Amino acid sequence: MSTLANQLAAAEREEVARAIRLLLVRPLLTEAADPAGFELVRRRRDPLAQWFDYTVGWSLVVEPRRGHARLAKVRADPDGSRPARRARSGRAPFDRRRYVLLCVTSAELLSMPMTTIGMLADRIVQATAADRALAAFDPVHRPERMAFVDVLKLLESYDVLRAVDGTTEAYVESAEAKVLYRVDTTLLMRLPAAPVGASRLAAPPDEVSARFEELLARLVRERRYGGVVADGTVDEAHSQTAATDAQRNLRLRHSVLRRLFDDPVLYRTDLADDELAYVTSLTGRQILRRSVEQAGFLLEERAEGYLLVDPDGLATDVRFPDDTSTARVAALLLLEPLCATPAGLLPEQLAEAGAELLRRFPRWAKAYQSEDGAARLSDDAVRVLADVGLARRARGRVVVCPAAYRYRLTETTSSDTEAEPAPERGASPRETAPEASASEGIGVEGDRL
């Protein structure tokens, strides 16, 4: 092979690896949001689709004319650690009401290439009134309008909705606000990623709450692995024979690699026996290492598990350490007492540790300077640690996970008690160390071990 051919092949590998990491962190990539990233994915869409299908079993659809690429991520173990978030109110997660309105709004938008906010609200009023399982939508009340606006802003962030006249936020103040939208119904239909449509799950409304876990599991069951019929139920008569060896190996490869590429860290103790046997087999190890290399990650393999490091930080959706919120700063500070107590800390002990932080920095964390502030601060910090795979709750205690020992608090400085503690150095499990933050006032410095 000529030198030029070698250079072209190397350039293609680098571009495919970069595009894989872009799609992992942004499974819905639009040309409007990231023109350069979308162009890269459009240009390399064939090898990308092949990599995702073989490695993790996720389908990739790229629509150049419509300007979007959709990676349909599917997990056999869905969780709520990555909720939809509000564009307002400090990025608070969606509550049940907002998820209901999101589903109803999406259904109504499918037949409306153009609409106004008032017409859409009227359609939702009628739809919720006609369904006895849903609470009626009443735009007269401000909280209802706020929830509706949060849903519309989320759809705008996906480029499903585009306001061509007026602003969505105006509806919060008045139900008479005038906003005109253009709707991308094709992109809207690409949003659901579940292999089984929710409409195929025939369940009486009064049984949904009691059977929620079962119904959720049926939504993500995939027929390609055998033993599953069209509505996501298990074919009991053929479940033992329907899955061939090839199907079982396919399921194991996808289940392990999905978690490896989608989670901050993968612990061996979290794998089922057959998954652990697969990933430690000769074939499994070869596939794992080849897939990691093709995606441009660095693999850290330890006795406790596996961790991917992204040298460019492209695939990291949540950084740690990070000074963008009080809870994230507190999470790094609380790692020290947690790591010093391998058996774990009780909620009361964590609350006391949070209270000590508030006493040390009385002008910091003003939102937590209340009677129950220390407990709330420690709870929020633990939630951050759990989301990045550094801690978990077990038997009433919070216990650190092995990856937590990658961090070390090396210095805390204070020159202005009104400043918020800010981590300066450190690295998350999916990235190298981020740049130092502008640390004025109180600062915490952490090293990756």
Side-chain angles (χ1 to χ4, degrees), residues 140-160:
V140 172
H141 300 293
R142 181 184 173 89
E144 288 280 81
R145 297 200 304 273
M146 291 176 64
F148 185 42
V149 165
D150 288 334
V151 167
L152 297 180
K153 293 298 292 183
L154 181 70
L155 293 174
E156 284 186 71
S157 72
Y158 294 155
D159 281 340
V160 167

Side-chain angles (χ1 to χ4, degrees), residues 416-429:
D416 180 357
T417 55
E418 293 192 31
E420 177 170 324
E424 292 186 354
R425 294 206 309 271
S428 81

Side-chain angles (χ1 to χ4, degrees), residues 276-290:
L276 185 58
Y278 175 83
V279 79
T280 55
S281 68
L282 178 61
T283 300
R285 289 170 64 88
Q286 289 176 340
I287 292 175
L288 183 150
R289 293 185 176 187
R290 183 174 66 246

Side-chain angles (χ1 to χ4, degrees), residues 98-139:
R98 283 166 173 79
Y99 278 121
V100 169
L101 288 177
L102 174 60
C103 293
V104 177
T105 300
S106 299
E108 294 300 324
L109 286 173
L110 283 174
S111 60
M112 306 171 70
M114 294 287 291
T115 186
T116 65
I117 197 168
M119 291 174 58
L120 181 57
D122 289 342
R123 293 278 293 264
I124 295 172
V125 169
Q126 296 171 15
T128 53
D131 193 328
R132 64 186 179 89
L134 302 178
F137 174 63
D138 187 357

Side-chain angles (χ1 to χ4, degrees), residues 183-394:
V183 186
D184 189 335
T185 55
T186 301
L187 180 54
L188 178 60
M189 289 188 290
R190 295 287 185 198
L191 294 185
V196 179
S199 60
R200 301 184 71 103
L201 304 183
D206 55 353
E207 296 182 12
V208 171
S209 297
R211 299 174 54 192
F212 181 76
E213 296 298 331
E214 171 208 341
L215 295 172
L216 186 62
R218 285 170 57 184
L219 282 175
V220 295
R221 285 179 184 151
E222 298 174 74
R223 301 181 65 185
R224 72 174 90 185
Y225 305 136
V228 178
V229 295
D231 64 351
T233 58
V234 176
D235 185 354
E236 298 291 349
H238 302 92
S239 61
Q240 298 299 318
T241 59
T244 65
D245 288 342
Q247 288 174 319
R248 282 191 290 270
N249 287 332
L250 183 67
R251 178 184 62 80
L252 291 172
R253 180 171 80 233
H254 289 169
S255 64
V256 171
L257 293 182
R258 283 173 179 179
R259 295 171 68 179
L260 180 67
F261 283 102
D262 206 29
D263 291 341
V265 61
L266 177 61
Y267 295 107
R268 293 175 188 262
T269 55
D270 291 338
L271 296 174
D273 291 342
D274 55 353
E275 292 174 327
L276 185 58
Y278 175 83
V279 79
T280 55
S281 68
L282 178 61
T283 300
R285 289 170 64 88
Q286 289 176 340
I287 292 175
L288 183 150
R289 293 185 176 187
R290 183 174 66 246
S291 300
V292 169
E293 180 182 359
Q294 290 170 341
F297 288 105
L298 301 177
L299 175 67
E300 286 192 14
E301 184 175 353
R302 306 288 179 90
E304 300 84 4
Y306 306 87
L307 181 149
L308 299 186
V309 176
D310 182 357
D312 303 315
L314 296 176
T316 303
D317 58 339
V318 176
R319 297 178 181 272
F320 184 84
D322 187 10
D323 62 354
T324 58
S325 75
T326 301
R328 296 190 178 281
V329 175
L332 180 62
L333 292 168
L334 289 181
L335 270 185
E336 186 174 31
L338 281 168
C339 289
T341 315
L345 295 177
L346 294 168
E348 295 80 6
Q349 293 173 305
L350 283 166
E352 179 53 35
E356 174 60 23
L357 291 178
L358 295 175
R359 284 193 293 269
R360 287 172 59 191
F361 310 115
R363 304 291 297 277
W364 169 64
K366 294 182 179 179
Y368 296 92
Q369 298 286 353
S370 61
E371 184 176 353
D372 64 341
R376 290 189 294 109
L377 178 63
S378 62
D379 285 345
D380 290 347
V382 168
R383 191 174 299 111
V384 170
L385 295 174
D387 286 347
V388 294
L390 299 182
R392 66 181 65 185
R393 298 183 186 273

